[in-house]
């Protein structure tokens, strides 16, 4: 199997893929950090460190807001690069994405897990979101070929 396609991601595709792929990290940011800070505030309050308690509570309130802002800022920078017209070349060993500014080649074996959704293939490495491919870029035969390659690493959507 070897084929090449030309594709340009839309802003909506990039947004949806990242929201889906990063949902675990976003959930941790939204709930984990405030819970940790509130627990630390309770410990500080129990030993009478009220200034530290106030700081921890303020941090628990501000961390989801600051984290969301940081994610959006980072995402905007990355989205510009991801939305460039690209040539995607696929082989049995991996795939290559070539744009005017960069070339990235990845082997299938680098990914621990692939989540197949109706819109994307989401690739994970060490339980972290690493890459994605939009299904819309491929015809039915190409989608079937990619599905066959990643089937051993897939998790149902």
């Amino acid at each position: 199997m070897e084929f090449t396609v030309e594709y340009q991601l839309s802003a909506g595709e990039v947004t949806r893929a990242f929201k889906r792929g990063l949902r675990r990290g976003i959930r941790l940011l939204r709930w984990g950090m405030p819970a940790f800070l509130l627990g630390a505030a309770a410990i500080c309050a129990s030993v009478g460190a009220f200034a530290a308690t106030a700081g921890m509570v303020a941090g628990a309130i501000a961390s989801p807001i600051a984290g969301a802002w940081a994610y959006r800022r980072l995402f905007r920078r990355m989205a510009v690069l991801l939305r460039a017209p690209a040539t995607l070349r696929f082989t049995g060993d991996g795939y290559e994405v070539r744009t005017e500014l960069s070339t990235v080649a990845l082997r299938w074996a680098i990914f621990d897990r692939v989540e197949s959704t109706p819109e994307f293939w989401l690739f994970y490495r060490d339980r972290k979101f690493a890459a994605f491919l939009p299904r819309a870029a491929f015809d039915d035969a190409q989608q079937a070929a990619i599905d066959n390659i990643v089937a051993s690493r897939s998790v149902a959507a």
Side-chain angles (χ1 to χ4, degrees):
M1 173 211 69
E2 189 168 325
F3 58 89
T4 302
V5 297
E6 302 284 330
Y7 194 72
Q8 183 170 1
L9 291 163
S10 71
E13 285 174 320
V14 174
T15 300
R16 289 188 303 276
F18 270 80
K19 280 184 180 178
R20 178 79 187 222
L22 294 173
R23 70 176 178 251
R24 181 174 172 258
I26 291 170
R27 192 177 317 129
L28 179 64
L29 177 70
R30 186 172 290 147
W31 300 106
M33 182 61 80
F36 172 78
L37 290 171
L38 289 174
I43 292 169
C44 289
S46 70
V47 297
F50 297 111
T53 300
M56 297 289 180
V57 170
I61 292 167
S63 66
I65 297 164
W69 174 80
Y71 261 122
R72 279 193 300 273
R73 186 168 182 229
L74 175 66
F75 173 73
R76 277 190 214 115
R77 288 181 180 170
M78 290 175 40
V80 170
L81 295 174
L82 292 172
R83 289 179 39 218
T87 301
L88 295 91
R89 185 174 161 270
F90 290 82
T91 66
D93 293 331
Y95 73 96
E96 177 180 283
V97 179
R98 187 178 301 241
T99 68
E100 186 178 299
L101 299 175
S102 67
T103 299
V104 177
L106 298 167
R107 293 188 172 269
W108 299 118
I110 195 171
F111 302 116
D112 301 318
R113 180 172 74 98
V114 179
E115 182 179 343
S116 292
T117 72
E119 190 175 12
F120 303 106
W121 289 281
L122 303 169
F123 299 95
Y124 295 86
R125 171 83 177 147
D126 296 329
R127 298 181 57 193
K128 294 179 184 85
F129 180 60
F132 72 95
L133 290 171
R135 287 186 177 269
F138 309 98
D139 63 31
D140 291 338
Q142 292 167 337
Q143 286 185 27
I146 294 171
D147 279 331
N148 287 336
I149 290 172
V150 300
S152 64
R153 296 172 175 81
S154 293
V155 171

